[in-house]
Amino acid sequence: MAERRFTIADVARRAGVSKGAVSFALNGRPGVSDETRARILAAAAELGWVPNRQARALSTARASALGLVLARAPELLGADPFFPAFIAGVEKVLAARDQALVLQVVTTPEAEREGYRRLARDRRVDGVFVVDLRRDDERIALLEEIGLPAVTLNRPDVPSPFPAVVLDDRPGIAAAVRHLVDQGHTKIAHVAGPEPYLHAAARRQAFTDAMGEAGLDGRVVDGDFTAAGGRDATRRLLTGPDRPTAIVFANDVMALSAIAVAAELGLRIPDDVSITGFDDTDLAGYVHPALTTVRADAGGWGEVAARTLLALIDGPEDADVTDTALPPAELVLRNSTAPTPPTPQETQ
Amino acid sequence: MAERRFTIADVARRAGVSKGAVSFALNGRPGVSDETRARILAAAAELGWVPNRQARALSTARASALGLVLARAPELLGADPFFPAFIAGVEKVLAARDQALVLQVVTTPEAEREGYRRLARDRRVDGVFVVDLRRDDERIALLEEIGLPAVTLNRPDVPSPFPAVVLDDRPGIAAAVRHLVDQGHTKIAHVAGPEPYLHAAARRQAFTDAMGEAGLDGRVVDGDFTAAGGRDATRRLLTGPDRPTAIVFANDVMALSAIAVAAELGLRIPDDVSITGFDDTDLAGYVHPALTTVRADAGGWGEVAARTLLALIDGPEDADVTDTALPPAELVLRNSTAPTPPTPQETQ
DNA sequence: CACACGAGATAAACCGCTTTAGTCGATCCG
DNA sequence: CGGATCGACTAAAGCGGTTTATCTCGTGTG
């Protein structure tokens, strides 16, 4: 194995032209006649020549790769169907263009910063996806500083020069609230995601807004997207005073753990308490009762994000790539929601 | 931004030596006196010089990156805590050595082969991790053919020149079976993973063996690691003739979906049916009843696999890197298992 | 004292591709 | 009809490192 590969010089010799001509021909650049171009392409094909990416990278200063830095605790990643689907979408676009995806999984903020810095310093990637936006996200400034092109998933709350690919979570949550209100619920609570995340904040806001529109006042407690956090929050809600008859969770894992809490407290879902989730994980439709939840197209998000990032990188300096909006998240009705229990005044 | 970066020539000039000397000094190679070396390092530090990876790559023909090709359906990836943890472990090792991880997610066998080929052809990576081994896995031959170093997660059933990092799932399954037998169960079934996967086969075999050792004969039905598959298999088992009193699942997702099936059939877990899972997903401890399952150290697996692969790549030709064994998977006892129901003869 | 030797360092080749500066005819134009 | 112009193509200079072939001393040896 590993016999010497052919180089551009071999192709040039075989086609009887110079190296430069070969380069022009292969990159579809003007400067060679159609006839010569054909001859060169034929020669390259006959030799089975493939360009050496490293050499090309050295002259063009292009990595032909995009980066993704994931700063999540492994247990959060493990249960989240978002990333696999997102990445699959990204790959669909990248594979066709001979681009690669460089992944970094980190756990601390320092490691995250260092991750982006390394990607830029080592010229590993030509651009990055910024996911899991946080309030006052310092990554925007960091990326500007190190001059690394980026695309953000949703719009940051700080000024950002980068294009955003927007998928609105809020309609899904709003629909969930409306659905519950329609069923007669008035005491509805929300178990939110971790404070700093913009998507958690958006879901929280959507909940509050939708409740307001219904003339209701909803309680919000903090969760952390983990099963343990979901259990604790749910327990607090269901054992505390003025128990809600419905809970809107910011993700499925927390909602799923609520099923256990309810069971332990002797409460039936949906008869005593209705719940909704967010993500539509594989399991959501296969628990008892099947979970009413909210679904977003993570794969599509990945595709569009990848295309946007590539356009930003390849495009001419001035061509400013604009934001794109995707179809918003939508409600998936299943069996974890039901009309309010008939006895509104249970003191218990 | 993007002001010209310093090159090795700048460092050489500042230290008053030649480019070659700088290269030697920075790579800890003999050929420069300690004094000169110090001067060169100082000059490099003062300029804040960082080597250009692409240039280095061109001369050394090294990508300083490792690859991982994942051929799984997104819904399988989304619920599986294995990969995030595995990747996190890998990264821990790679980050410290300035190596990157190139990820590819594909869905078809052709795309998978093409993925490996692309990684090799484009010199994206110096080696790859081979996960989710299958029977007669053609990837071993493929990787040999294209000359891409690899490390396999567990040992393939075909002759393989690559080192394997072994984590035995079987003791975990065996322990689960013994635990159930100890509780008085005799009618124990297994919902297996997809046939072609070696890990699924190993778990199945471990189940059969352990049952045999207990003098029992266990029924095995096929699952596919998805929630839908788990539900179907469980339904078949619980509604069919000669209902088992315990089911050992090949993963958590299927086990979790069994909880719903049992509920729908009016069966209580663990009173009527005991179940065990595999993976110890985040949710496992937070469902009702909390799931008895099997846990393996995916992160550790990633670390060792990465170290092994790097050793294989960097090491001298002859140094043959050997297999490594990790602590086997172990049983995590929770509440989804209980002694056999007292009425063994319920006709229903 | 001539000579071999090795450590320390340099100059230059090289990795394989891109790109710039030129060369060379053929064509256009006043 | 002579010079400007243009298209096709070549030679060579990068890109920023690594590596090899050489050169230069100072030193130990017979």
Side-chain angles (χ1 to χ4, degrees):
Chain A
M1 69 187 189
E3 63 275 14
R4 194 180 79 77
R5 289 211 216 158
F6 293 110
T7 76
I8 205 172
D10 298 313
V11 177
R13 198 172 313 121
R14 181 170 245 260
V17 295
S18 70
K19 282 169 45 181
V22 175
S23 178
F24 290 144
L26 291 161
N27 294 311
R29 221 181 289 269
V32 283
S33 65
D34 289 352
E35 186 196 357
T36 313
R37 185 184 305 268
R39 191 152 36 89
I40 292 173
L41 291 178
E46 284 162 25
L47 293 178
W49 174 83
V50 279
N52 177 314
R53 218 198 72 257
Q54 331 232 61
R56 197 202 292 265
L58 182 56
S59 343
T60 61
R62 270 261 188 298
S64 11
L66 302 181
L68 177 59
V69 177
L70 253 34
R72 285 201 173 190
E75 72 266 23
L76 265 181
L77 271 179
D80 191 341
F82 177 80
F83 287 110
F86 177 78
I87 290 173
V90 168
E91 299 270 16
K92 213 185 271 184
V93 174
L94 296 197
R97 313 231 211 153
D98 266 315
Q99 301 269 328
L101 179 69
V102 174
L103 181 69
Q104 255 177 69
V105 177
V106 300
T107 45
T108 68
E110 306 84 66
E112 184 183 34
R113 278 193 295 276
E114 192 45 38
Y116 286 109
R117 286 223 145 87
R118 275 214 313 147
L119 288 180
R121 166 167 62 72
D122 294 348
R123 285 177 158 68
R124 285 282 184 191
V125 301
D126 301 318
V128 294
F129 299 97
V130 179
V131 303
D132 280 343
L133 280 174
R134 301 179 293 258
R135 285 172 36 181
D136 292 317
D137 208 310
E138 81 282 354
R139 289 176 292 174
I140 305 299
L142 172 67
L143 293 171
E144 261 189 283
E145 179 203 326
I146 60 187
L148 194 57
V151 57
T152 58
L153 263 55
N154 282 340
R155 190 131 270 291
D157 61 353
V158 292
S160 161
F162 305 117
V165 180
V166 175
L167 193 159
D168 198 348
D169 286 350
R170 293 172 303 182
I173 292 288
V177 170
R178 276 198 306 274
H179 169 64
L180 291 168
V181 170
D182 287 348
Q183 306 255 47
H185 293 272
T186 55
K187 294 195 289 189
I188 311 175
H190 177 55
V191 175
E195 172 64 27
Y197 288 119
L198 288 193
H199 47 58
R203 292 170 202 181
R204 173 195 300 252
Q205 188 65 50
F207 171 77
T208 308
D209 290 351
M211 289 295 279
E213 270 167 36
L216 297 171
D217 194 28
R219 187 164 157 210
V220 176
V221 305
D222 280 333
D224 61 0
F225 282 152
T226 71
R231 178 200 52 189
D232 295 345
T234 307
R235 204 171 267 169
R236 240 175 301 141
L237 283 173
L238 295 185
T239 58
D242 203 24
R243 185 171 77 214
T245 61
I247 308 179
V248 173
F249 289 87
N251 79 346
D252 276 5
V253 170
M254 295 195 293
L256 293 174
S257 70
I259 297 178
V261 173
E264 281 154 18
L265 296 176
L267 294 169
R268 289 160 306 160
I269 293 178
D271 313 84
D272 300 317
V273 184
S274 287
I275 63 172
T276 69
F278 198 111
D279 279 342
D280 196 21
T281 50
D282 182 39
L283 207 48
Y286 300 92
V287 290
H288 185 78
L291 188 66
T292 290
T293 187
V294 176
R295 174 165 52 205
D297 180 14
W301 212 353
E303 283 184 53
V304 175
R307 258 195 283 277
T308 304
L309 190 46
L310 289 175
L312 178 66
I313 293 165
D314 294 341
E317 284 304 316
D318 54 332
D320 68 332
V321 183
T322 61
D323 287 11
T324 324
L326 269 53
E330 55 186 24
L331 187 65
V332 180
L333 283 178
R334 287 204 269 255
N335 310 320
S336 63
T337 49
T340 331
T343 55
Q345 239 67 306
E346 52 174 297
T347 329
Q348 213 327 337
Chain B
M1 69 182 187
E3 63 275 13
R4 196 181 76 78
R5 288 212 215 157
F6 292 111
T7 76
I8 205 171
D10 298 314
V11 177
R13 199 172 314 122
R14 180 170 246 261
V17 295
S18 69
K19 280 171 49 182
V22 174
S23 180
F24 290 144
L26 291 161
N27 293 311
R29 219 181 290 268
V32 283
S33 65
D34 289 352
E35 186 195 358
T36 313
R37 185 183 305 269
R39 193 151 37 88
I40 292 172
L41 292 177
E46 284 160 24
L47 292 178
W49 174 84
V50 279
N52 177 315
R53 216 198 72 257
Q54 331 232 60
R56 198 202 295 261
L58 181 55
S59 331
T60 60
R62 270 260 187 300
S64 4
L66 303 181
L68 177 59
V69 178
L70 253 34
R72 286 199 172 192
E75 71 266 23
L76 264 181
L77 271 179
D80 191 341
F82 177 80
F83 287 110
F86 177 78
I87 289 173
V90 168
E91 298 271 16
K92 215 187 271 185
V93 174
L94 295 197
R97 313 231 214 152
D98 266 313
Q99 300 269 329
L101 178 69
V102 174
L103 180 69
Q104 253 175 72
V105 177
V106 300
T107 44
T108 68
E110 307 84 67
E112 184 183 33
R113 278 194 295 275
E114 192 45 37
Y116 285 109
R117 285 223 146 86
R118 274 213 316 144
L119 288 179
R121 165 167 63 70
D122 295 348
R123 287 181 156 67
R124 285 281 185 192
V125 301
D126 301 317
V128 293
F129 299 96
V130 179
V131 303
D132 280 342
L133 280 174
R134 301 178 294 257
R135 285 174 33 183
D136 294 318
D137 207 311
E138 80 281 354
R139 289 176 294 174
I140 305 300
L142 172 66
L143 292 170
E144 260 187 285
E145 178 201 328
I146 60 186
L148 194 56
V151 57
T152 58
L153 263 55
N154 283 338
R155 190 132 272 292
D157 62 352
V158 292
S160 161
F162 304 117
V165 180
V166 175
L167 193 159
D168 198 349
D169 286 350
R170 294 171 302 182
I173 293 288
V177 171
R178 277 198 304 275
H179 169 64
L180 291 168
V181 169
D182 287 348
Q183 305 255 45
H185 293 273
T186 53
K187 295 195 287 191
I188 310 175
H190 177 56
V191 175
E195 170 65 26
Y197 288 120
L198 288 192
H199 47 59
R203 292 171 202 179
R204 174 196 301 252
Q205 188 64 50
F207 171 78
T208 309
D209 290 351
M211 289 295 281
E213 269 167 37
L216 298 171
D217 193 28
R219 184 160 160 218
V220 176
V221 306
D222 279 332
D224 60 359
F225 282 154
T226 71
R231 178 201 52 189
D232 295 346
T234 307
R235 206 171 264 167
R236 242 176 299 142
L237 283 173
L238 295 185
T239 58
D242 202 24
R243 185 172 77 213
T245 61
I247 309 179
V248 173
F249 288 87
N251 79 346
D252 275 5
V253 169
M254 295 194 294
L256 293 174
S257 69
I259 297 180
V261 174
E264 282 154 18
L265 297 176
L267 293 169
R268 288 160 308 161
I269 294 177
D271 313 82
D272 300 317
V273 184
S274 287
I275 63 172
T276 70
F278 197 110
D279 279 341
D280 195 22
T281 51
D282 182 39
L283 208 49
Y286 299 92
V287 290
H288 184 81
L291 187 67
T292 289
T293 188
V294 176
R295 175 166 50 205
D297 180 14
W301 212 352
E303 284 185 51
V304 175
R307 259 196 282 276
T308 304
L309 190 46
L310 288 176
L312 178 66
I313 293 165
D314 294 340
E317 285 303 315
D318 54 329
D320 68 332
V321 183
T322 61
D323 286 12
T324 323
L326 269 52
E330 56 185 23
L331 187 64
V332 180
L333 283 178
R334 288 204 269 256
N335 310 320
S336 64
T337 49
T340 331
T343 56
Q345 239 67 306
E346 56 173 296
T347 330
Q348 164 49 291

